Amino acid sequence: MAPNTRPLRTCGGFYCIEKGYLKIMSDTQADVINQAAYLYVGAQTGAGKTYHSIGEIKRYLEGGGNVLYAAPTHVLLDQFHEDLVGAFISNVVRIDSSDDDNDDASGKRRLRIREAVELEMAEVGCGLSGTGKVLLITHDALFSLENVDYQKQYHLIVDEAPKAFISTSISLGKGADMLDAELYLRMLDRSNSQDVKAIYGHKETFKKSATGSRDCSELTRSKEFRQLARHVLSDVMEVEVLNPNATTSLNFISYRSSKALQGYKSVTIMSANFEDTFLYLLWKGQGIAFKEVCLKGFDKSPKGHLHHSGSVQIYYMFDRNFTLGSHVSNPRVMGEVLRCVQDLFNGLGRGGHDGYVYALNDRVVVPDFLKGSKMPVVSYGLNKWIGYDCVFYGAATNLDNTAVASLGQRGVNREQINIALKGQNAYQSVTRVSVRERGSHGDNRDMHLVVTDKQIADYLGSLFHDSRVTKIGDFDELEGGESGRPSNKYNDADYRRAKSVISRNQKGVGPLPGQITWAESKGYNEGTAIVLANLVRQYFDDKEAAASEWGPVLS
């Protein structure tokens, strides 16, 4: 070991990628370890990451450095900008960038955002800026930047673990309007199945779509194809085709490469439970070495989380995975679930609008009897619900089997997927309330966290040192099937027959002989063919909704 260095300690704080060496904060100056690695310190929610990041920014600026700070959303950038002003940090530049790679921002606007960020960064490299600056951007803007020389002038601080992969689903239509998947696949070079690229003759097609050109054909004009085009053209994205034999929608998954954060003077990622995130799991699988380090003032409770002085009561309803197909899409199941939650909070004296908060998938129709206050499924670092001590996380965020298989090929198993997806989203939601605060209640009042299934409950229980996990309700007959989207129960021929039966029923006429035979083959008859037809239509509607919903919630 080099002189004046010490072993790494396990504690909470930052995840730090330092170019060639690691600086660990102390009362005097940073110790140095001569080791090139991706280094991290666990930073639980509410531990004060923002406070310490401001201290790091001051240290960088005092040393003549510059800082690029990236957060997931504009709301978080607004909060952090106010914190910087309160800490008397000047020369802060904010770029009005897009919140999310899945949004509908035009390609031309994205190009202008990237150029604006790169221009601000280049001023330092060219000596046009006499003092250090802090540049605030979103994750989306960060990953749109090209690797160029002036990045070495910046220390990069990333708030929250960025999404490690992004889904894109291109609808192929239905019935007579259905498109052939080959119309899209023939534009791609799939010789490397884990990183497809545009073939030489279609690169211009992808460029036009990515920049929002008006010359795009109808086939490449959609926002979904525009997103795919950006990923295919990017040097730091690896695109896979999940279902090349698709008939209803063509699905892609685009992985962010660790190359995206290379070239900066240093990189610091602030994220709770970083070891459980997709970014950590996938980049570690790429051969990136991670080492845990400690920033002074951080500590962990025996199970890894600082929280208030009361106990944490965690409740769940299902032993099996709670899914979009088997549960969220079933009105009966969701009605029973929401009634159980409301009854629980009523019994705790917290059943009113100001008594608890809840998070649900957008497709769920909220009944009048549910009295709590709604919060987003993905809430990142928002702290507006800090006054509550009861929360229900009722969203389902599962992947389909093709995405699970793709992750498996990259070394991430199903249990890790569930924790990285379901566990992390649930954790971020439940820690928006006062459970994140140490000593938040002078009367040591208990926290009450309600989730849907046992796996999420057990994961949360492992993160709080004084917690108890309890099953509530009687949901044995509503447990449902395996996780994932609805299975391929019906095919396109079923959909076409169902559509015809529904159309005839609306005209007041019964099914045709062939449609009756079809219904009987499924266990129905002439009188109940319309019931089958509606089930088939609902099945395809659920599949389409699931295809569009699973991407935005990925970490």
PDB file of all heavy atoms in Angstrom, residues 167-201:
ATOM      1  N   SER A 167     -36.153   0.819 -23.025  1.00  0.00           N
ATOM      2  CA  SER A 167     -36.920   0.005 -23.960  1.00  0.00           C
ATOM      3  C   SER A 167     -37.542   0.863 -25.040  1.00  0.00           C
ATOM      4  O   SER A 167     -37.852   2.032 -24.834  1.00  0.00           O
ATOM      5  CB  SER A 167     -38.032  -0.740 -23.219  1.00  0.00           C
ATOM      6  OG  SER A 167     -39.014   0.180 -22.779  1.00  0.00           O
ATOM      7  N   THR A 168     -37.720   0.273 -26.191  1.00  0.00           N
ATOM      8  CA  THR A 168     -38.434   0.913 -27.298  1.00  0.00           C
ATOM      9  C   THR A 168     -39.364  -0.124 -27.916  1.00  0.00           C
ATOM     10  O   THR A 168     -38.924  -1.231 -28.238  1.00  0.00           O
ATOM     11  CB  THR A 168     -37.466   1.422 -28.378  1.00  0.00           C
ATOM     12  OG1 THR A 168     -36.493   2.280 -27.779  1.00  0.00           O
ATOM     13  CG2 THR A 168     -38.231   2.196 -29.453  1.00  0.00           C
ATOM     14  N   SER A 169     -40.625   0.215 -28.055  1.00  0.00           N
ATOM     15  CA  SER A 169     -41.606  -0.694 -28.634  1.00  0.00           C
ATOM     16  C   SER A 169     -42.275  -0.013 -29.824  1.00  0.00           C
ATOM     17  O   SER A 169     -42.910   1.025 -29.674  1.00  0.00           O
ATOM     18  CB  SER A 169     -42.652  -1.085 -27.587  1.00  0.00           C
ATOM     19  OG  SER A 169     -43.581  -2.000 -28.110  1.00  0.00           O
ATOM     20  N   ILE A 170     -42.102  -0.589 -31.002  1.00  0.00           N
ATOM     21  CA  ILE A 170     -42.669  -0.041 -32.236  1.00  0.00           C
ATOM     22  C   ILE A 170     -43.877  -0.878 -32.637  1.00  0.00           C
ATOM     23  O   ILE A 170     -43.748  -2.072 -32.932  1.00  0.00           O
ATOM     24  CB  ILE A 170     -41.630  -0.026 -33.364  1.00  0.00           C
ATOM     25  CG1 ILE A 170     -40.442   0.870 -32.962  1.00  0.00           C
ATOM     26  CG2 ILE A 170     -42.244   0.459 -34.667  1.00  0.00           C
ATOM     27  CD1 ILE A 170     -39.333   0.900 -33.982  1.00  0.00           C
ATOM     28  N   SER A 171     -45.043  -0.273 -32.626  1.00  0.00           N
ATOM     29  CA  SER A 171     -46.270  -0.993 -32.954  1.00  0.00           C
ATOM     30  C   SER A 171     -46.289  -1.363 -34.438  1.00  0.00           C
ATOM     31  O   SER A 171     -45.927  -0.563 -35.307  1.00  0.00           O
ATOM     32  CB  SER A 171     -47.491  -0.137 -32.617  1.00  0.00           C
ATOM     33  OG  SER A 171     -48.674  -0.774 -33.040  1.00  0.00           O
ATOM     34  N   LEU A 172     -46.710  -2.583 -34.700  1.00  0.00           N
ATOM     35  CA  LEU A 172     -46.845  -3.050 -36.084  1.00  0.00           C
ATOM     36  C   LEU A 172     -48.291  -2.992 -36.560  1.00  0.00           C
ATOM     37  O   LEU A 172     -48.607  -3.450 -37.663  1.00  0.00           O
ATOM     38  CB  LEU A 172     -46.322  -4.485 -36.204  1.00  0.00           C
ATOM     39  CG  LEU A 172     -44.838  -4.685 -35.859  1.00  0.00           C
ATOM     40  CD1 LEU A 172     -44.470  -6.153 -35.937  1.00  0.00           C
ATOM     41  CD2 LEU A 172     -43.957  -3.854 -36.775  1.00  0.00           C
ATOM     42  N   GLY A 173     -49.178  -2.425 -35.732  1.00  0.00           N
ATOM     43  CA  GLY A 173     -50.577  -2.292 -36.111  1.00  0.00           C
ATOM     44  C   GLY A 173     -51.372  -3.546 -35.834  1.00  0.00           C
ATOM     45  O   GLY A 173     -50.885  -4.507 -35.225  1.00  0.00           O
ATOM     46  N   LYS A 174     -52.618  -3.559 -36.292  1.00  0.00           N
ATOM     47  CA  LYS A 174     -53.514  -4.687 -36.074  1.00  0.00           C
ATOM     48  C   LYS A 174     -54.293  -4.988 -37.339  1.00  0.00           C
ATOM     49  O   LYS A 174     -54.523  -4.116 -38.167  1.00  0.00           O
ATOM     50  CB  LYS A 174     -54.493  -4.381 -34.930  1.00  0.00           C
ATOM     51  CG  LYS A 174     -53.853  -4.159 -33.568  1.00  0.00           C
ATOM     52  CD  LYS A 174     -54.892  -3.790 -32.522  1.00  0.00           C
ATOM     53  CE  LYS A 174     -54.256  -3.540 -31.167  1.00  0.00           C
ATOM     54  NZ  LYS A 174     -55.269  -3.157 -30.150  1.00  0.00           N
ATOM     55  N   GLY A 175     -54.722  -6.239 -37.434  1.00  0.00           N
ATOM     56  CA  GLY A 175     -55.616  -6.627 -38.520  1.00  0.00           C
ATOM     57  C   GLY A 175     -55.038  -6.348 -39.895  1.00  0.00           C
ATOM     58  O   GLY A 175     -53.867  -6.605 -40.185  1.00  0.00           O
ATOM     59  N   ALA A 176     -55.874  -5.762 -40.745  1.00  0.00           N
ATOM     60  CA  ALA A 176     -55.477  -5.501 -42.137  1.00  0.00           C
ATOM     61  C   ALA A 176     -54.382  -4.461 -42.245  1.00  0.00           C
ATOM     62  O   ALA A 176     -53.668  -4.391 -43.251  1.00  0.00           O
ATOM     63  CB  ALA A 176     -56.704  -5.059 -42.943  1.00  0.00           C
ATOM     64  N   ASP A 177     -54.240  -3.626 -41.199  1.00  0.00           N
ATOM     65  CA  ASP A 177     -53.220  -2.566 -41.224  1.00  0.00           C
ATOM     66  C   ASP A 177     -51.887  -3.031 -40.664  1.00  0.00           C
ATOM     67  O   ASP A 177     -50.968  -2.221 -40.497  1.00  0.00           O
ATOM     68  CB  ASP A 177     -53.718  -1.360 -40.423  1.00  0.00           C
ATOM     69  CG  ASP A 177     -54.975  -0.749 -41.021  1.00  0.00           C
ATOM     70  OD1 ASP A 177     -55.104  -0.779 -42.262  1.00  0.00           O
ATOM     71  OD2 ASP A 177     -55.828  -0.261 -40.251  1.00  0.00           O
ATOM     72  N   MET A 178     -51.755  -4.299 -40.326  1.00  0.00           N
ATOM     73  CA  MET A 178     -50.543  -4.796 -39.686  1.00  0.00           C
ATOM     74  C   MET A 178     -49.341  -4.730 -40.632  1.00  0.00           C
ATOM     75  O   MET A 178     -49.431  -5.075 -41.806  1.00  0.00           O
ATOM     76  CB  MET A 178     -50.766  -6.234 -39.222  1.00  0.00           C
ATOM     77  CG  MET A 178     -49.619  -6.781 -38.359  1.00  0.00           C
ATOM     78  SD  MET A 178     -50.013  -8.429 -37.726  1.00  0.00           S
ATOM     79  CE  MET A 178     -51.417  -8.035 -36.673  1.00  0.00           C
ATOM     80  N   LEU A 179     -48.190  -4.274 -40.078  1.00  0.00           N
ATOM     81  CA  LEU A 179     -46.953  -4.170 -40.850  1.00  0.00           C
ATOM     82  C   LEU A 179     -46.094  -5.412 -40.644  1.00  0.00           C
ATOM     83  O   LEU A 179     -46.220  -6.117 -39.643  1.00  0.00           O
ATOM     84  CB  LEU A 179     -46.174  -2.926 -40.412  1.00  0.00           C
ATOM     85  CG  LEU A 179     -46.850  -1.568 -40.601  1.00  0.00           C
ATOM     86  CD1 LEU A 179     -46.004  -0.475 -39.961  1.00  0.00           C
ATOM     87  CD2 LEU A 179     -47.062  -1.277 -42.077  1.00  0.00           C
ATOM     88  N   ASP A 180     -45.197  -5.646 -41.553  1.00  0.00           N
ATOM     89  CA  ASP A 180     -44.245  -6.742 -41.443  1.00  0.00           C
ATOM     90  C   ASP A 180     -43.012  -6.231 -40.698  1.00  0.00           C
ATOM     91  O   ASP A 180     -42.456  -5.178 -41.050  1.00  0.00           O
ATOM     92  CB  ASP A 180     -43.854  -7.224 -42.843  1.00  0.00           C
ATOM     93  CG  ASP A 180     -42.996  -8.487 -42.805  1.00  0.00           C
ATOM     94  OD1 ASP A 180     -42.424  -8.784 -41.736  1.00  0.00           O
ATOM     95  OD2 ASP A 180     -42.903  -9.153 -43.840  1.00  0.00           O
ATOM     96  N   ALA A 181     -42.594  -6.951 -39.661  1.00  0.00           N
ATOM     97  CA  ALA A 181     -41.425  -6.533 -38.873  1.00  0.00           C
ATOM     98  C   ALA A 181     -40.187  -6.373 -39.746  1.00  0.00           C
ATOM     99  O   ALA A 181     -39.286  -5.576 -39.432  1.00  0.00           O
ATOM    100  CB  ALA A 181     -41.163  -7.541 -37.756  1.00  0.00           C
ATOM    101  N   GLU A 182     -40.123  -7.093 -40.855  1.00  0.00           N
ATOM    102  CA  GLU A 182     -38.952  -7.024 -41.736  1.00  0.00           C
ATOM    103  C   GLU A 182     -38.770  -5.629 -42.330  1.00  0.00           C
ATOM    104  O   GLU A 182     -37.663  -5.266 -42.740  1.00  0.00           O
ATOM    105  CB  GLU A 182     -39.069  -8.058 -42.854  1.00  0.00           C
ATOM    106  CG  GLU A 182     -38.671  -9.458 -42.440  1.00  0.00           C
ATOM    107  CD  GLU A 182     -37.202  -9.525 -42.012  1.00  0.00           C
ATOM    108  OE1 GLU A 182     -36.362  -8.886 -42.666  1.00  0.00           O
ATOM    109  OE2 GLU A 182     -36.915 -10.209 -41.022  1.00  0.00           O
ATOM    110  N   LEU A 183     -39.831  -4.837 -42.398  1.00  0.00           N
ATOM    111  CA  LEU A 183     -39.704  -3.465 -42.900  1.00  0.00           C
ATOM    112  C   LEU A 183     -38.703  -2.679 -42.061  1.00  0.00           C
ATOM    113  O   LEU A 183     -37.995  -1.806 -42.573  1.00  0.00           O
ATOM    114  CB  LEU A 183     -41.070  -2.770 -42.884  1.00  0.00           C
ATOM    115  CG  LEU A 183     -42.116  -3.295 -43.874  1.00  0.00           C
ATOM    116  CD1 LEU A 183     -43.459  -2.632 -43.621  1.00  0.00           C
ATOM    117  CD2 LEU A 183     -41.661  -3.030 -45.306  1.00  0.00           C
ATOM    118  N   TYR A 184     -38.637  -2.987 -40.772  1.00  0.00           N
ATOM    119  CA  TYR A 184     -37.684  -2.321 -39.888  1.00  0.00           C
ATOM    120  C   TYR A 184     -36.373  -3.102 -39.786  1.00  0.00           C
ATOM    121  O   TYR A 184     -35.281  -2.515 -39.803  1.00  0.00           O
ATOM    122  CB  TYR A 184     -38.301  -2.168 -38.486  1.00  0.00           C
ATOM    123  CG  TYR A 184     -39.476  -1.229 -38.433  1.00  0.00           C
ATOM    124  CD1 TYR A 184     -40.770  -1.710 -38.422  1.00  0.00           C
ATOM    125  CD2 TYR A 184     -39.281   0.151 -38.399  1.00  0.00           C
ATOM    126  CE1 TYR A 184     -41.860  -0.841 -38.367  1.00  0.00           C
ATOM    127  CE2 TYR A 184     -40.356   1.030 -38.346  1.00  0.00           C
ATOM    128  CZ  TYR A 184     -41.648   0.523 -38.342  1.00  0.00           C
ATOM    129  OH  TYR A 184     -42.713   1.384 -38.295  1.00  0.00           O
ATOM    130  N   LEU A 185     -36.480  -4.425 -39.685  1.00  0.00           N
ATOM    131  CA  LEU A 185     -35.281  -5.238 -39.452  1.00  0.00           C
ATOM    132  C   LEU A 185     -34.299  -5.170 -40.608  1.00  0.00           C
ATOM    133  O   LEU A 185     -33.089  -5.278 -40.409  1.00  0.00           O
ATOM    134  CB  LEU A 185     -35.691  -6.687 -39.189  1.00  0.00           C
ATOM    135  CG  LEU A 185     -36.517  -6.927 -37.920  1.00  0.00           C
ATOM    136  CD1 LEU A 185     -36.900  -8.396 -37.811  1.00  0.00           C
ATOM    137  CD2 LEU A 185     -35.752  -6.471 -36.688  1.00  0.00           C
ATOM    138  N   ARG A 186     -34.791  -4.995 -41.831  1.00  0.00           N
ATOM    139  CA  ARG A 186     -33.885  -4.947 -42.983  1.00  0.00           C
ATOM    140  C   ARG A 186     -33.005  -3.695 -42.985  1.00  0.00           C
ATOM    141  O   ARG A 186     -32.058  -3.612 -43.752  1.00  0.00           O
ATOM    142  CB  ARG A 186     -34.682  -5.023 -44.278  1.00  0.00           C
ATOM    143  CG  ARG A 186     -35.557  -3.821 -44.569  1.00  0.00           C
ATOM    144  CD  ARG A 186     -36.238  -3.919 -45.935  1.00  0.00           C
ATOM    145  NE  ARG A 186     -37.018  -5.136 -46.073  1.00  0.00           N
ATOM    146  CZ  ARG A 186     -38.232  -5.176 -46.621  1.00  0.00           C
ATOM    147  NH1 ARG A 186     -38.793  -4.062 -47.068  1.00  0.00           N
ATOM    148  NH2 ARG A 186     -38.883  -6.308 -46.712  1.00  0.00           N
ATOM    149  N   MET A 187     -33.321  -2.720 -42.122  1.00  0.00           N
ATOM    150  CA  MET A 187     -32.488  -1.520 -42.021  1.00  0.00           C
ATOM    151  C   MET A 187     -31.299  -1.737 -41.086  1.00  0.00           C
ATOM    152  O   MET A 187     -30.418  -0.885 -40.998  1.00  0.00           O
ATOM    153  CB  MET A 187     -33.303  -0.341 -41.471  1.00  0.00           C
ATOM    154  CG  MET A 187     -34.529   0.034 -42.263  1.00  0.00           C
ATOM    155  SD  MET A 187     -35.351   1.455 -41.463  1.00  0.00           S
ATOM    156  CE  MET A 187     -36.906   1.480 -42.362  1.00  0.00           C
ATOM    157  N   LEU A 188     -31.274  -2.877 -40.378  1.00  0.00           N
ATOM    158  CA  LEU A 188     -30.288  -3.090 -39.325  1.00  0.00           C
ATOM    159  C   LEU A 188     -29.296  -4.188 -39.664  1.00  0.00           C
ATOM    160  O   LEU A 188     -29.654  -5.216 -40.246  1.00  0.00           O
ATOM    161  CB  LEU A 188     -31.001  -3.452 -38.014  1.00  0.00           C
ATOM    162  CG  LEU A 188     -31.936  -2.385 -37.440  1.00  0.00           C
ATOM    163  CD1 LEU A 188     -32.782  -2.981 -36.318  1.00  0.00           C
ATOM    164  CD2 LEU A 188     -31.141  -1.189 -36.941  1.00  0.00           C
ATOM    165  N   ASP A 189     -28.049  -3.959 -39.267  1.00  0.00           N
ATOM    166  CA  ASP A 189     -27.018  -4.984 -39.342  1.00  0.00           C
ATOM    167  C   ASP A 189     -27.072  -5.757 -38.028  1.00  0.00           C
ATOM    168  O   ASP A 189     -26.713  -5.237 -36.972  1.00  0.00           O
ATOM    169  CB  ASP A 189     -25.647  -4.333 -39.519  1.00  0.00           C
ATOM    170  CG  ASP A 189     -24.520  -5.343 -39.497  1.00  0.00           C
ATOM    171  OD1 ASP A 189     -24.800  -6.556 -39.371  1.00  0.00           O
ATOM    172  OD2 ASP A 189     -23.351  -4.920 -39.593  1.00  0.00           O
ATOM    173  N   ARG A 190     -27.533  -7.008 -38.069  1.00  0.00           N
ATOM    174  CA  ARG A 190     -27.714  -7.799 -36.854  1.00  0.00           C
ATOM    175  C   ARG A 190     -26.650  -8.883 -36.720  1.00  0.00           C
ATOM    176  O   ARG A 190     -26.864  -9.885 -36.038  1.00  0.00           O
ATOM    177  CB  ARG A 190     -29.115  -8.413 -36.844  1.00  0.00           C
ATOM    178  CG  ARG A 190     -30.227  -7.382 -36.697  1.00  0.00           C
ATOM    179  CD  ARG A 190     -31.583  -8.063 -36.520  1.00  0.00           C
ATOM    180  NE  ARG A 190     -32.064  -8.647 -37.763  1.00  0.00           N
ATOM    181  CZ  ARG A 190     -32.878  -9.696 -37.831  1.00  0.00           C
ATOM    182  NH1 ARG A 190     -33.258 -10.306 -36.723  1.00  0.00           N
ATOM    183  NH2 ARG A 190     -33.289 -10.150 -39.011  1.00  0.00           N
ATOM    184  N   SER A 191     -25.498  -8.682 -37.336  1.00  0.00           N
ATOM    185  CA  SER A 191     -24.419  -9.667 -37.231  1.00  0.00           C
ATOM    186  C   SER A 191     -23.948  -9.817 -35.792  1.00  0.00           C
ATOM    187  O   SER A 191     -23.525 -10.894 -35.370  1.00  0.00           O
ATOM    188  CB  SER A 191     -23.248  -9.274 -38.136  1.00  0.00           C
ATOM    189  OG  SER A 191     -22.787  -7.967 -37.824  1.00  0.00           O
ATOM    190  N   ASN A 192     -24.004  -8.728 -35.014  1.00  0.00           N
ATOM    191  CA  ASN A 192     -23.750  -8.778 -33.569  1.00  0.00           C
ATOM    192  C   ASN A 192     -25.098  -8.575 -32.884  1.00  0.00           C
ATOM    193  O   ASN A 192     -25.597  -7.458 -32.798  1.00  0.00           O
ATOM    194  CB  ASN A 192     -22.760  -7.687 -33.153  1.00  0.00           C
ATOM    195  CG  ASN A 192     -22.481  -7.712 -31.643  1.00  0.00           C
ATOM    196  OD1 ASN A 192     -23.075  -8.484 -30.890  1.00  0.00           O
ATOM    197  ND2 ASN A 192     -21.578  -6.848 -31.209  1.00  0.00           N
ATOM    198  N   SER A 193     -25.697  -9.661 -32.426  1.00  0.00           N
ATOM    199  CA  SER A 193     -27.062  -9.601 -31.903  1.00  0.00           C
ATOM    200  C   SER A 193     -27.188  -8.727 -30.662  1.00  0.00           C
ATOM    201  O   SER A 193     -28.280  -8.252 -30.346  1.00  0.00           O
ATOM    202  CB  SER A 193     -27.570 -11.010 -31.586  1.00  0.00           C
ATOM    203  OG  SER A 193     -26.770 -11.609 -30.579  1.00  0.00           O
ATOM    204  N   GLN A 194     -26.070  -8.481 -29.949  1.00  0.00           N
ATOM    205  CA  GLN A 194     -26.126  -7.667 -28.739  1.00  0.00           C
ATOM    206  C   GLN A 194     -25.790  -6.200 -29.002  1.00  0.00           C
ATOM    207  O   GLN A 194     -25.765  -5.397 -28.072  1.00  0.00           O
ATOM    208  CB  GLN A 194     -25.174  -8.228 -27.673  1.00  0.00           C
ATOM    209  CG  GLN A 194     -25.635  -9.559 -27.111  1.00  0.00           C
ATOM    210  CD  GLN A 194     -24.892  -9.924 -25.845  1.00  0.00           C
ATOM    211  OE1 GLN A 194     -23.768  -9.484 -25.594  1.00  0.00           O
ATOM    212  NE2 GLN A 194     -25.528 -10.734 -25.015  1.00  0.00           N
ATOM    213  N   ASP A 195     -25.573  -5.845 -30.250  1.00  0.00           N
ATOM    214  CA  ASP A 195     -25.297  -4.441 -30.581  1.00  0.00           C
ATOM    215  C   ASP A 195     -25.564  -4.214 -32.067  1.00  0.00           C
ATOM    216  O   ASP A 195     -24.649  -4.136 -32.880  1.00  0.00           O
ATOM    217  CB  ASP A 195     -23.847  -4.094 -30.231  1.00  0.00           C
ATOM    218  CG  ASP A 195     -23.566  -2.595 -30.360  1.00  0.00           C
ATOM    219  OD1 ASP A 195     -24.542  -1.810 -30.444  1.00  0.00           O
ATOM    220  OD2 ASP A 195     -22.386  -2.217 -30.375  1.00  0.00           O
ATOM    221  N   VAL A 196     -26.838  -4.116 -32.422  1.00  0.00           N
ATOM    222  CA  VAL A 196     -27.187  -3.938 -33.832  1.00  0.00           C
ATOM    223  C   VAL A 196     -26.913  -2.499 -34.261  1.00  0.00           C
ATOM    224  O   VAL A 196     -26.992  -1.573 -33.458  1.00  0.00           O
ATOM    225  CB  VAL A 196     -28.670  -4.298 -34.094  1.00  0.00           C
ATOM    226  CG1 VAL A 196     -28.962  -5.718 -33.658  1.00  0.00           C
ATOM    227  CG2 VAL A 196     -29.608  -3.320 -33.386  1.00  0.00           C
ATOM    228  N   LYS A 197     -26.579  -2.309 -35.522  1.00  0.00           N
ATOM    229  CA  LYS A 197     -26.279  -0.990 -36.071  1.00  0.00           C
ATOM    230  C   LYS A 197     -27.041  -0.792 -37.380  1.00  0.00           C
ATOM    231  O   LYS A 197     -27.550  -1.745 -37.975  1.00  0.00           O
ATOM    232  CB  LYS A 197     -24.773  -0.846 -36.327  1.00  0.00           C
ATOM    233  CG  LYS A 197     -23.917  -0.894 -35.067  1.00  0.00           C
ATOM    234  CD  LYS A 197     -24.234   0.257 -34.122  1.00  0.00           C
ATOM    235  CE  LYS A 197     -23.344   0.237 -32.888  1.00  0.00           C
ATOM    236  NZ  LYS A 197     -23.715   1.319 -31.931  1.00  0.00           N
ATOM    237  N   ALA A 198     -27.109   0.444 -37.808  1.00  0.00           N
ATOM    238  CA  ALA A 198     -27.741   0.732 -39.093  1.00  0.00           C
ATOM    239  C   ALA A 198     -26.847   0.231 -40.217  1.00  0.00           C
ATOM    240  O   ALA A 198     -25.630   0.442 -40.188  1.00  0.00           O
ATOM    241  CB  ALA A 198     -27.974   2.229 -39.236  1.00  0.00           C
ATOM    242  N   ILE A 199     -27.436  -0.459 -41.198  1.00  0.00           N
ATOM    243  CA  ILE A 199     -26.635  -0.875 -42.339  1.00  0.00           C
ATOM    244  C   ILE A 199     -26.278   0.354 -43.169  1.00  0.00           C
ATOM    245  O   ILE A 199     -26.948   1.387 -43.086  1.00  0.00           O
ATOM    246  CB  ILE A 199     -27.368  -1.931 -43.198  1.00  0.00           C
ATOM    247  CG1 ILE A 199     -28.644  -1.326 -43.814  1.00  0.00           C
ATOM    248  CG2 ILE A 199     -27.703  -3.161 -42.392  1.00  0.00           C
ATOM    249  CD1 ILE A 199     -29.321  -2.272 -44.789  1.00  0.00           C
ATOM    250  N   TYR A 200     -25.240   0.228 -43.956  1.00  0.00           N
ATOM    251  CA  TYR A 200     -24.685   1.389 -44.665  1.00  0.00           C
ATOM    252  C   TYR A 200     -25.749   2.145 -45.459  1.00  0.00           C
ATOM    253  O   TYR A 200     -25.822   3.365 -45.404  1.00  0.00           O
ATOM    254  CB  TYR A 200     -23.566   0.935 -45.598  1.00  0.00           C
ATOM    255  CG  TYR A 200     -22.930   2.075 -46.358  1.00  0.00           C
ATOM    256  CD1 TYR A 200     -22.018   2.921 -45.721  1.00  0.00           C
ATOM    257  CD2 TYR A 200     -23.250   2.315 -47.692  1.00  0.00           C
ATOM    258  CE1 TYR A 200     -21.438   3.971 -46.405  1.00  0.00           C
ATOM    259  CE2 TYR A 200     -22.686   3.365 -48.386  1.00  0.00           C
ATOM    260  CZ  TYR A 200     -21.780   4.201 -47.735  1.00  0.00           C
ATOM    261  OH  TYR A 200     -21.219   5.249 -48.421  1.00  0.00           O
ATOM    262  N   GLY A 201     -26.614   1.454 -46.147  1.00  0.00           N
ATOM    263  CA  GLY A 201     -27.591   2.125 -47.000  1.00  0.00           C
ATOM    264  C   GLY A 201     -28.709   2.820 -46.251  1.00  0.00           C
ATOM    265  O   GLY A 201     -29.485   3.562 -46.856  1.00  0.00           O
TER     266      GLY A 201
END
